[in-house]
Amino acid sequence: MDLLDRYLHAVKFWLPKAQRQDIVSELSEDIRSQIEDKEAELGRPLTEADVEAILIRVGRPVLVANRYLPQRHLIGPALYPIYVFVLKIVTACYLVPWILVGIGLMLYSPGYRAAHGGGWVGALGAVWGGFWLTTLVAVGAVTVVFATLERGASKPGFLETWSPRKLPPVRDPNRISRADSIMELVANIVFASWWVLFMSSPIVLDRPDIRITLAPVWVYFFWGYLMTAAANVALGGMNLLRPNWTRAKAGFRLATNLCGSALFCTLTQSDILLNISLAPGSTADGQAIAAAINMWASRALPFAIGIGLVVLAVDIRRLVRVKAA
Amino acid sequence: MTHVTDLSSAYENLRLELRRGCLALAVLAALRSEQYGYSLRKILADRGMAIDENTLYPLLRRLETQGLLVSEWREEDKRNKRFYRLSPDGKSILKQLLAEWRSINDSLAAIL
């Protein structure tokens, strides 16, 4: 019976102390009865292999013990869907931008690579390690909050006191609200007017004490942004008249945002400030200030890429949704 | 092949769900006369309601905690065994459950 004793001992290990002896005695009696019945059926004492087969059928000790324990969970079925929803938001709004910015820094920022050993391997290790640590902390924090809610006194009130009247209205994801279209129209018209009035010349500031001049390449950015704004005004007007997303309109929005993002990313790398001329007698060095501003603008590229990718992901999702509808 | 496996798994889950509700009723009904765990299992198996030890003993404990069963350890055939029987509350609950089961049975028969 060595095998049976070892089995019962293993089951006992997982049981709560107060019930341990009681449960194991009853289980032991049952298994011994099974062995006796089997012996009577076969007309011989059971071999170790026979006993082993019975114990395997009864089940792994930890699982057997588990059947006697109360059903426990960190986050119960009532809160679990909300928990998953919050995790999706954390992933989309925090973890994905985090990794995109990390990748951008690694690819385009020599300063970031220099700070992590000077090479790609060190920078990749820093991004990868930082990402997992961030994920662990974010997911861990959400889990702790939900586990606390699960056990908290506020849970019954939260889950049971509700009214169907407070549920959000059903929204058609392909419907464009008129308020959004009006906002878009107004914002783009204001932007385009300001752009034409103040940014059409490469000399963006011309005062006696300071004169700021942009590089000749500015003309491409000027027209590029103006055309993007004009396209957005046209799209906003169409959306106002026909407030539904179609494949053509979703594709058009993707194209304009792609142009805007590409322009912005290129702008950060263009050394756009040609010169800052200061009044005679000033101790500041205009060229040095312009170079510094250009350098900091170039360092904004990873963030520009990150924001652009998020915007484009939203546009692509809309396009896919419209296609599927 | 996957479809067949899914169907078979769905059937097994539904079958277990259906049986789970009936098991407590079968155990309570069988314990109108005193039994110890293994003898109860044999009685239920002989009547077509086989139940494994990992399901029966936790169920017996739960029913006893709810006050529907009473138990005592006694020696029989030179071995200590735990004998269970219905408590007065258990008898009353069994009566109500049987009425409910018959009502469900009648409803199902009408639907089928």
Side-chain angles (χ1 to χ4, degrees), chain A:
Chain A
M1 287 296 167
D2 176 51
L3 214 52
L4 177 58
D5 292 336
R6 282 160 60 188
Y7 181 81
L8 293 171
H9 188 74
V11 174
K12 205 173 181 178
F13 176 81
W14 298 105
L15 291 168
K17 208 171 179 180
Q19 300 163 287
R20 201 174 268 175
Q21 197 51 51
D22 202 43
I23 291 171
V24 166
S25 300
E26 194 167 35
L27 185 62
S28 161
E29 205 292 313
D30 189 288
I31 297 172
R32 282 176 209 280
S33 296
Q34 288 184 52
I35 291 172
E36 279 176 8
D37 276 5
K38 193 75 183 170
E39 283 177 339
E41 182 190 326
L42 297 173
R44 61 166 173 81
L46 294 193
T47 62
E48 197 170 77
D50 295 328
V51 176
E52 186 186 12
I54 290 175
L55 297 180
I56 287 173
R57 192 199 55 74
V58 175
R60 191 178 275 274
V62 65
L63 296 180
V64 171
N66 187 47
R67 300 294 292 268
Y68 291 88
L69 304 175
Q71 292 295 310
R72 286 174 293 190
H73 43 245
L74 194 61
I75 297 163
L79 283 179
Y80 189 75
I82 310 171
Y83 169 69
V84 171
F85 179 69
V86 171
L87 278 186
K88 282 180 182 170
I89 291 175
V90 167
T91 304
C93 299
Y94 181 55
L95 297 178
V96 170
W98 196 101
I99 192 72
L100 291 176
V101 169
I103 291 169
L105 283 170
M106 183 186 74
L107 293 177
Y108 296 104
S109 171
Y112 185 81
R113 290 197 295 274
H116 295 95
W120 293 99
V121 177
L124 181 64
V127 171
W128 190 244
F131 176 68
W132 284 114
L133 187 65
T134 306
T135 304
L136 198 68
V137 170
V139 173
V142 173
T143 306
V144 166
V145 168
F146 273 84
T148 311
L149 275 176
E150 181 67 37
R151 278 147 193 78
S154 61
K155 190 189 73 173
F158 167 68
L159 291 173
E160 288 160 21
T161 312
W162 69 286
S163 163
R165 290 173 190 278
K166 289 182 181 169
L167 293 173
V170 177
R171 270 186 58 228
D172 177 0
N174 291 331
R175 179 102 184 147
I176 307 163
S177 86
R178 290 193 187 280
D180 284 355
S181 299
I182 292 170
M183 280 276 288
E184 185 179 11
L185 264 176
V186 171
N188 277 288
I189 289 171
V190 169
F191 170 78
S193 309
W194 172 82
W195 194 249
V196 170
L197 283 174
F198 296 101
M199 302 302 289
S200 56
S201 162
I203 301 164
V204 288
L205 196 62
D206 189 12
R207 291 187 348 194
D209 53 341
I210 183 168
R211 179 187 166 98
I212 298 176
T213 314
L214 301 176
V217 73
W218 171 250
V219 68
Y220 299 113
F221 294 108
F222 172 77
W223 283 108
Y225 274 117
L226 189 60
M227 285 168 71
T228 306
N232 283 334
V233 168
L235 185 61
M238 275 200 291
N239 287 344
L240 196 58
L241 293 174
R242 291 167 188 250
N244 277 308
W245 284 112
T246 61
R247 282 175 67 177
K249 286 202 277 186
F252 192 69
R253 168 50 46 86
L254 173 63
T256 57
N257 281 343
L258 190 64
C259 288
S261 298
L263 276 171
F264 189 59
C265 291
T266 318
L267 182 65
T268 62
Q269 303 298 295
S270 300
D271 291 337
I272 201 69
L273 265 182
L274 183 67
N275 192 18
I276 297 177
S277 304
L278 299 167
S282 170
T283 53
D285 181 349
Q287 286 289 356
I289 294 171
I293 292 173
N294 285 334
M295 187 190 75
W296 281 105
S298 73
R299 288 186 179 177
L301 181 66
F303 301 99
I305 291 175
I307 294 164
L309 286 175
V310 171
V311 170
L312 296 178
V314 171
D315 289 344
I316 290 169
R317 185 165 170 263
R318 180 188 299 123
L319 188 60
V320 170
R321 196 174 57 209
V322 172
K323 274 179 87 172

Side-chain angles (χ1 to χ4, degrees), chain A residues 22 26 30 36-37 58, chain B residues 38 53-54 57 79 82 84:
Chain A
D22 202 43
E26 194 167 35
D30 189 288
E36 279 176 8
D37 276 5
V58 175
Chain B
Y38 191 68
E53 55 281 84
N54 298 327
Y57 293 113
R79 283 227 300 265
R82 189 177 194 169
Y84 295 89

